[in-house]
Amino acid sequence: MRTQMLKFAACAVAVLAFAGLSFAQVTEYQEERNLGMEAHAGNLTGHAKSAAMNYRRYCAGCHGVLGDGEGENAVWLDPKPRNFTLAQFKCRSTPSGTLPTDEDLFETVGRGLESSNMPSWNPLSSQQRIDLIAYVKHFSDRWKTEKPGPPIEIPAEPEATADRIKAGQVVFQKLECWKCHGVEGRGNGPSADTLTDDQNRPIKPFNFHDQTRFKCGSTDRDLYRIFMTGLDGTPMPSFSDNVKPEEAWELVFYLRTLQPMRTKEKEIAKQLGLKPINPNATAPASAPAPQPQTNDTKPQ
């Protein structure tokens, strides 16, 4: 009986080993097949096969040879490197939950990600960058079965005024942004230490107080886009369903008052004597409507 059990165990081990080998072969085959992936940005066409060497040289140390975010440096990094096999990306022009455009990824590689270890890869040529985008895409079959979402529309930016900044503060409190980002935008709100990413790893909210750039850019339009698309893979949601475009612009202007550099919004807030919100106070039911101003009107 004992001999039969040992034979059965040996057979089971052999079957599992063969299955593992078969899986590895399938995975390798699928990856090789996916190396025909392309990427397009402007008049550029990227080819995954052309980026294999550059990916291993510049990206694999963090994102891993398999694109799973488990490179040899990953254990030391915070926030953790992106897992390309999930095809979820923070910086997009497309709605939450949809794939980004190739142009979105191209811009991210060139710009880098603020408050992370992802640097700007602008020293690479445009062709090398678009080839890398194709290589990143080859890690996930989502790119074969899904299309990128349609880029969101960003309305014309209104003028930053005292009324709009005050209205933006109301939106900041009403949406409870302070619970993660803190009342002064320092990233130290009461929920900050409880946040995790899509893989249940601790993640910190953005610190507006100490940063001159945003996670996905540096312009007002970039910040507006973040509100309306969210940062997939993080606790930062899209507010496109419950924030009107004018309210999003108001929030942009208010957050500008929290940043360290000198801005028009910060100067207006100083003239207003604007104080940080009181989280214990009840937020107004709605933000006050901005009053039209003439060229002669000055902030009060």
Side-chain angles (χ1 to χ4, degrees):
M1 186 65 158
R2 180 182 178 83
T3 301
Q4 288 179 333
M5 292 181 64
L6 288 174
K7 288 182 178 179
F8 177 78
C11 289
V13 169
V15 169
L16 290 173
F18 178 77
L21 179 60
S22 298
F23 180 78
Q25 289 174 337
V26 170
T27 301
E28 183 177 354
Y29 167 74
Q30 287 178 334
E31 181 174 3
E32 181 65 26
R33 184 179 60 180
N34 289 348
L35 282 175
M37 189 74 69
E38 291 186 351
H40 303 273
N43 60 355
L44 296 171
T45 298
H47 303 278
K49 285 186 178 181
S50 300
M53 183 177 295
N54 276 339
Y55 180 86
R56 288 179 178 271
R57 181 178 183 182
Y58 300 116
C59 313
C62 297
H63 295 286
V65 174
L66 299 178
D68 55 5
E70 299 294 339
E72 59 183 339
N73 301 326
V75 66
W76 310 109
L77 303 182
D78 183 20
K80 297 300 181 183
R82 189 105 304 258
N83 180 347
F84 296 138
T85 68
L86 301 178
Q88 288 184 333
F89 296 90
K90 298 176 183 178
C91 301
R92 307 173 328 281
S93 62
T94 60
S96 180
T98 64
L99 292 173
T101 65
D102 292 352
E103 289 86 352
D104 291 335
L105 298 181
F106 184 79
E107 290 299 320
T108 298
V109 171
R111 181 187 60 244
L113 286 178
E114 189 69 22
S115 301
S116 79
N117 289 278
M118 173 66 181
S120 164
W121 290 106
N122 262 334
L124 297 178
S125 71
S126 294
Q127 186 60 52
Q128 288 173 319
R129 285 166 57 194
I130 196 63
D131 287 339
L132 278 173
I133 300 311
Y135 198 86
V136 166
K137 290 170 61 178
H138 104 279
F139 287 118
S140 174
D141 282 342
R142 282 190 66 189
W143 297 99
K144 292 183 177 180
T145 59
E146 301 177 38
K147 293 182 178 180
I152 67 167
E153 294 184 8
I154 301 180
E157 181 175 351
E159 181 185 359
T161 64
D163 284 337
R164 287 194 174 104
I165 290 171
K166 288 187 291 185
Q169 186 180 54
V170 172
V171 175
F172 184 84
Q173 183 168 0
K174 186 178 178 181
L175 296 179
E176 297 186 333
C177 306
W178 57 271
K179 285 191 173 182
C180 296
H181 296 286
V183 296
E184 294 182 332
R186 296 175 182 266
N188 60 351
S191 299
D193 292 335
T194 69
L195 301 179
T196 57
D197 67 9
D198 56 334
Q199 295 184 262
N200 204 34
R201 303 173 299 194
I203 189 172
K204 297 177 182 177
F206 191 76
N207 181 343
F208 290 96
H209 183 272
D210 296 336
Q211 302 294 338
T212 59
R213 300 174 62 204
F214 308 120
K215 179 67 72 176
C216 302
S218 58
T219 70
D220 291 351
R221 287 175 60 87
D222 293 328
L223 188 52
Y224 179 101
R225 186 181 298 110
I226 291 172
F227 297 153
M228 296 311 203
T229 64
L231 299 179
D232 282 359
T234 81
M236 176 65 187
S238 163
F239 289 107
S240 61
D241 292 335
N242 50 13
V243 170
K244 299 175 182 178
E246 58 267 27
E247 292 177 319
W249 280 123
E250 290 160 0
L251 187 54
V252 167
F253 299 146
Y254 176 67
L255 289 174
R256 284 294 197 187
T257 72
L258 303 180
Q259 292 185 279
M261 68 283 196
R262 183 176 179 178
T263 63
K264 175 183 177 181
E265 293 84 358
K266 197 164 188 174
E267 289 298 312
I268 293 175
K270 185 177 180 180
Q271 294 177 35
L272 290 170
L274 200 63
K275 303 295 183 184
I277 67 165
N278 177 4
N280 297 317
T282 302
S286 60
Q291 298 299 314
Q293 294 190 7
T294 66
N295 294 334
D296 297 328
T297 303
K298 296 182 180 179
Q300 300 300 313

